[in-house]
Amino acid sequence: MKPVLFATALLLLTACDPAAAQRTQAVQHADQVAEAARHAPSLVAAGEPAPVEPETDPQEQWSAGVVRVDYLENQGLQPTIKLYGTAGGDPAMNGLYTYIAFFAGVADGWRVFRIGDVLEYRIIADAPGRLDLEVQESVLNPANDEITSRTRRLIVTWTPAGPDGAPEAISVTPAR
């Protein structure tokens, strides 16, 4: 509502003062110049450029798909745990493949579990062996092919296992 009122007031003032339009344009131009200057490069080269070739390892294609990483900070003595999302699928119908990964040690790497395919997630809380999530999802109504959205809450739980503490399985439970 405020932008409409502002635009109306500006229009009325412009009608009363023919120079107002020129001043408005000058202010807009100054704002654009200031914005461009703020994003202008500021470093000066201090050596010869070194060429870098593209990565050819197929794993890097998967890595480039990671669009979000959240480390769980409240897990006590458990291993490094992260929640992450990769881009994939149909972005109109979710498309953020969401995983939880537990570092199982140098020899074994990460133990990864897929939580779901959502639009977005939000960490509500995390505690040892537990993660509370809120997820936004697209849902297709098969009766009329209409896409709607919904918000769900999930409780992700696990029990540390073995010397590394990475679990063998996790559970995902709907919540309120």
Side-chain angles (χ1 to χ4, degrees):
M1 185 68 178
K2 289 182 182 181
V4 173
L5 290 174
F6 178 75
T8 304
L10 185 60
L11 182 62
L12 290 172
L13 287 173
T14 303
C16 296
D17 181 4
Q22 292 173 339
R23 287 193 301 273
T24 300
Q25 288 176 348
V27 167
Q28 289 173 343
H29 178 71
D31 286 346
Q32 291 170 348
V33 169
E35 183 68 17
R38 197 175 86 204
H39 295 291
S42 60
L43 299 178
V44 176
E48 294 299 315
V52 178
E53 298 295 322
E55 292 292 327
T56 58
D57 181 349
Q59 284 294 101
E60 296 307 322
Q61 290 298 314
W62 291 102
S63 298
V66 173
V67 295
R68 178 173 177 181
V69 177
D70 296 283
Y71 286 90
L72 304 186
E73 303 292 338
N74 301 312
Q75 295 301 314
L77 298 176
Q78 294 206 17
T80 300
I81 303 170
K82 61 183 168 183
L83 187 67
Y84 69 95
T86 62
D90 180 359
M93 280 297 295
N94 302 314
L96 182 65
Y97 296 144
T98 305
Y99 302 87
I100 188 168
F102 302 81
F103 189 67
V106 175
D108 295 321
W110 293 89
R111 190 159 302 140
V112 179
F113 301 91
R114 184 169 171 179
I115 294 174
D117 179 11
V118 301
L119 283 172
E120 184 66 39
Y121 67 78
R122 180 175 70 90
I123 296 173
I124 297 171
D126 79 286
R130 180 177 170 139
L131 170 64
D132 293 354
L133 286 177
E134 181 178 85
V135 297
Q136 306 294 320
E137 303 175 296
S138 294
V139 181
L140 179 64
N141 182 340
N144 61 9
D145 288 336
E146 182 179 312
I147 298 175
T148 59
S149 62
R150 71 176 174 195
T151 300
R152 291 191 312 138
R153 292 184 174 202
L154 305 170
I155 301 169
V156 181
T157 56
W158 60 90
T159 302
D164 56 28
E168 296 296 324
I170 67 168
S171 296
V172 179
T173 307
R176 295 184 261 147

